[in-house]
Amino acid sequence: MGKRLTIGDNDLIKNLNLGIVLDTIRTEGAVSRAGISKLTGLSKSTCSLMVEKLLRSGLIIEKGKDHSSGGRKPVLLQINYEAGRTVGIKFMADRIIAALVDLNGNAVKIIEKPVPFPVDQKEYFASLEDVISNLLDFQQNGVERRKVLGIGIGMSGLIDSEEGVSLQSSILHWDNIPIKRILEARFQIPVYLENDVNTFALGEKWFGFGKEIENFICVTIGKGIGIGIIIDGKLYRGSHHGAGEFGHMKISSDEDAPLCSCGHRGCIEGFASDPAICRYVEQSITEGKESILKGEKAITISKVLNAARKGDTLCLEAFKRAGYYLGYGLSNLINLFDPDTIIIGGEGTAAGEFIFPEMESVIHTTSIYGLDTKVKILPLYYEDNLWVRGAATLVIREIFKIPF
Ligand SMILES: [Zn+2]
């Protein structure tokens, strides 16, 4: 006697089919019931049943007609991107960026709230709750509060995304904060937490340049340097939540290499992050190098960038040097992963015109098997909405999840 299906198995199959049908409609854009059956191999009656269920949930709508060779034109089904909203949030050391995002990844409303630095945890949470309440109360096109389906948060550091706990954050200096539990208790909405560079990569996979590719790496440069790795279409997190700490890849064993925020020497971040670039300029001025920033009390990255734009030799050299080390790091990534594309984002791209030429030149001289000629390097100039879209994707992908 064969294995009998239990009620549980039956439910599981129904859920699987529901997920498959929903995902087919999402990826096709607009498709008929017969089209879904053809694409998925599911029977027409199963497809119709699943479609009715999805129509009742409001997650899909009937729209337009398919081109038909004759007879009655079939109705097309598509995702109702207005069925709900999500909230996407990016934690930063000096501000919180948050947005109401539709199910197609478009930010409907963005709020940016500065927070005092250094970070005071209590104050930070008060600002965070304020920002979330503002977005939940925001009404547009009749979308009501109950239709916000979840909150996605991206933040730097080591994150246990299953439990929604910030384990370690070198920028925010928080350890073991159960952010998901705190915010779910406060707002009664599902909350998802993920490393910010991973959210950036997920946003690219769902809505950006990564849509059609299976293997790519998102690199972010700025205050910190990190990567989000997509392998075979899926985010790679590692075994202990720690994958992607590219900023701490060692590229120098020199005892005098700059000290990194992680406490070690020789990390890429110690050479190519914004603070590293500022430190290099400061130190060079102290050693007697000429610069229009000589005499400045505090060297900030925006001052270095402005000086470079005016042709200041030292500041130009500082960015070129950052590009040199970044190039070595990226070359290691290319030799390790052989990705289709490397997407570069983050605040640091504002200085891309001074960083990227040297970076690309190092990549071309240090990659093996000619991989440097095959990989596409794609700089995305910094935009807040890429971060919030990524964070919102944490919620959106749960809604469209195929449950296996
Ligand atoms: Zn480090």
Side-chain angles (χ1 to χ4, degrees):
M1 216 173 121
K3 185 178 173 273
R4 284 182 57 174
L5 284 173
T6 64
I7 291 171
D9 290 336
N10 234 337
D11 281 351
L12 182 67
I13 290 166
K14 271 188 203 154
N15 276 335
L16 285 175
N17 289 343
L18 203 62
I20 291 167
V21 170
L22 184 59
D23 204 55
T24 306
I25 298 170
R26 186 180 67 82
T27 48
E28 288 301 306
V31 62
S32 67
R33 286 170 176 79
I36 297 170
S37 169
K38 217 168 160 182
L39 286 162
T40 60
L42 294 171
S43 73
K44 277 185 183 168
S45 63
T46 300
C47 284
S48 288
L49 210 68
M50 297 302 133
V51 163
E52 292 320 309
K53 220 171 167 180
L54 289 168
L55 280 170
R56 275 201 304 276
S57 77
L59 209 48
I60 63 167
I61 42 174
E62 293 182 323
K63 212 171 182 182
K65 305 271 174 160
D66 197 1
H67 297 289
S68 178
S69 49
R72 203 158 60 96
K73 287 179 179 172
V75 176
L76 291 181
L77 301 152
Q78 65 180 49
I79 299 293
N80 175 17
Y81 288 108
E82 294 297 317
R85 297 272 195 251
T86 62
V87 171
I89 304 176
K90 156 91 167 145
F91 284 7
M92 298 180 89
D94 57 353
R95 60 198 168 115
I96 295 168
I97 310 164
L100 212 52
V101 179
D102 72 16
L103 298 183
N104 206 14
N106 300 309
V108 176
K109 181 181 173 63
I110 297 189
I111 297 180
E112 189 181 328
K113 193 175 172 81
V115 286
F117 187 82
V119 173
D120 172 81
Q121 197 179 310
K122 217 171 163 189
E123 225 169 316
Y124 203 93
F125 263 91
S127 298
L128 180 63
E129 290 189 7
D130 192 34
V131 164
I132 296 173
S133 300
N134 263 332
L135 287 175
L136 294 182
D137 290 339
F138 181 75
Q139 308 249 335
Q140 177 157 328
N141 301 335
V143 174
E144 294 161 19
R145 184 175 175 127
R146 67 185 160 82
K147 284 198 175 174
V148 173
L149 304 170
I151 299 170
I153 300 171
M155 65 179 292
S156 68
L158 195 66
I159 308 288
D160 179 343
S161 55
E162 270 170 36
E163 299 295 326
V165 176
S166 163
L167 300 172
Q168 265 184 57
S169 169
S170 60
I171 293 181
L172 295 176
H173 304 291
W174 292 352
D175 289 346
N176 298 314
I177 310 289
I179 294 175
K180 176 183 169 73
R181 188 158 55 80
I182 295 170
L183 294 180
E184 283 185 348
R186 168 72 177 81
F187 292 104
Q188 307 293 313
I189 294 174
V191 174
Y192 304 92
L193 189 70
E194 182 60 83
N195 173 276
D196 52 1
V197 191
N198 284 350
T199 65
F200 182 75
L202 278 176
E204 283 304 312
K205 178 66 198 150
W206 274 70
F207 302 111
F209 290 97
K211 250 172 135 174
E212 309 292 332
I213 44 180
E214 295 296 292
N215 299 309
F216 69 94
I217 295 177
C218 282
V219 180
T220 58
I221 58 174
K223 273 199 189 73
I225 295 175
I227 55 172
I229 308 162
I230 302 284
I231 296 177
D232 293 339
K234 291 197 175 75
L235 182 67
Y236 179 76
R237 288 198 182 87
S239 296
H240 314 95
H241 324 291
E245 288 297 343
F246 174 57
H248 305 287
M249 177 185 272
K250 306 290 178 283
I251 48 167
S252 168
S253 58
D254 191 339
E255 281 179 12
D256 297 327
L259 191 65
C260 176
S261 61
C262 70
H264 297 288
R265 291 182 190 274
C267 304
I268 291 183
E269 240 178 66
F271 291 100
S273 66
D274 286 353
I277 293 166
C278 295
R279 262 199 317 272
Y280 178 76
V281 170
E282 218 164 40
Q283 207 176 328
S284 303
I285 291 173
T286 315
E287 286 165 6
K289 280 201 180 167
E290 280 307 318
S291 168
I292 52 176
L293 294 183
K294 203 171 175 176
E296 286 280 343
K297 273 187 194 134
I299 306 281
T300 61
I301 197 69
S302 57
K303 284 180 189 171
V304 180
L305 183 54
N306 281 335
R309 284 185 178 138
K310 286 177 191 156
D312 185 79
T313 315
L314 176 61
C315 293
L316 286 170
E317 186 206 321
F319 284 123
K320 191 177 170 187
R321 179 176 175 272
Y324 172 84
Y325 287 107
L326 208 53
Y328 269 102
L330 292 188
S331 174
N332 285 333
L333 290 184
I334 293 166
N335 295 342
L336 267 176
F337 289 100
D338 179 21
D340 178 279
T341 302
I342 292 182
I343 298 169
I344 306 181
E347 287 170 296
T349 54
E353 59 186 302
F354 306 120
I355 295 175
F356 296 153
E358 183 68 10
M359 179 192 85
E360 292 194 7
S361 146
V362 171
I363 289 172
H364 289 309
T365 51
T366 55
S367 302
I368 56 161
Y369 303 141
L371 295 178
D372 59 298
T373 59
K374 294 173 184 149
V375 64
K376 289 181 271 303
I377 309 268
L378 193 67
L380 286 186
Y381 288 91
Y382 180 73
E383 276 183 71
D384 284 346
N385 64 4
L386 294 180
W387 286 115
V388 289
R389 180 183 72 180
T393 308
L394 295 174
V395 184
I396 297 169
R397 71 172 184 161
E398 287 299 320
I399 296 164
F400 291 107
K401 205 173 203 173
I402 304 176
F404 58 78

